[in-house]
Amino acid sequence: MSSLHPRAGRRCHNAVNPLHSTVYFSPDYAKELAGIGVEDTRAAYFAGRAAALGAVGPGTVTATFYNFSHELIARHLPAVWDTASPTAVLDARMRAVDATLRRLLGDAVTSPEMAEAARLALRATEACSRPARPLYAAHADLPVPEEPHLAFWHAATLLREHRGDGHLTALLSAGLDPLEALVSHTATGKGMSPRWILASRGWRRTDWEAASDRLRERGLLDADGELTEAGTALRADLEEHTDRLDLAPYEHLGAAGVERLTELGRGFLMAAAAAGAFPDDLTGTG
C-alpha cells in the first residue's frame, strides 16, 4: 500500500504546473519567438509547445493538444516550420523561460530552494513512462538544462505533459469531445473563462453553445450552464482517473518528497503571481 495521499500528486501538480505555464503568458516569450521570425502569437504557442515533436503537421498537434480547433491549428502548422525550425524554437523557448523566471522570481532562481525543487522534480520524472504519452515522450528526449531554475522548469514540463497525456485518455473514456471538456471544466469554476477559450482555442460562440446543448442532453449541465449532480460526479471521476494514470512519479518521489516539492512550488507560484505572471481574467465562468 502506498503512504501517499490519493490526491497528493494532483496537489503537487497544481503547485508546479502553473509556474511552467508562465512562459506562455510572458512578453519574453513573444519577444524571443518574434526574434526568430514567428510573430503571430498563436503560431508561437503552437510551435513552442509542439517543437519537441519535430516539424509536425496540424493533425499531430490537434491529437496531442486536444482542445484546440483543428482549423485554427492548420492555419499555422506546418507553415511555421518554414519560418523557424523546431530546434530554433526550442532554443528561443528556453531563452524566454530564463528571462521570465528571472523577472518574476528575482534572486530565487539561484536560491538553494530552487536547486532543491529541481532535484525533487527531476527525481519524480524518473518514474514517468513514454508509452501512449506523446507530448511527455517527446520532451523526455530533450536534454536537462544545467541551471537549476531551467532544470526545474524542464522537469515541470515533463510532469505537466505526463499528466496531460493521461488526462486525454480519461477524457476519451468519459466520452467528452474537446469543447465539451472545456465547457464542463469551466462550469466547475476552475477552468478558463469562456472569453479566453474562444479567443485562444479557435472556437466560435455557436460551437460553445452546441457543446453546452450536448452536455445538457446527457444530463451533465443544467439550463443555467451549471454542472448537474451527474456532471459534478463525472468531473470528479475524470480527475481521479487522471490521478491514477499519473501516480507513478509521485509514488517514486515519496510522500515527504511530494509534500516538500508542493511547498516549494507553491512558494514560487505565489511569488510569480504577485509579480503579474497571469492575466487577471484568465479563469472563471464569466
Side-chain angles (χ1 to χ4, degrees), residues 239-262:
E239 294 304 325
E240 290 172 6
H241 189 177
T242 304
D243 289 343
R244 292 192 298 273
L245 294 173
D246 193 39
L247 184 61
Y250 302 101
E251 285 211 319
H252 179 68
L253 184 57
V258 170
E259 182 179 358
R260 179 59 174 159
L261 180 56
T262 303

Side-chain angles (χ1 to χ4, degrees), residues 45-46 49-54 56-68 70 73 77 132-139 160-169 171-172 178:
Y45 175 79
F46 294 138
R49 194 161 166 232
L53 294 163
V56 293
T60 300
V61 174
T62 299
T64 54
F65 286 24
Y66 198 76
N67 59 27
F68 288 82
H70 179 72
I73 295 168
L77 294 174
R133 299 182 195 263
L135 272 175
Y136 162 75
H139 283 87
R160 166 202 172 94
E161 302 298 10
H162 188 268
R163 184 178 182 86
D165 288 336
H167 187 59
L168 302 193
T169 297
L171 289 173
L172 287 171

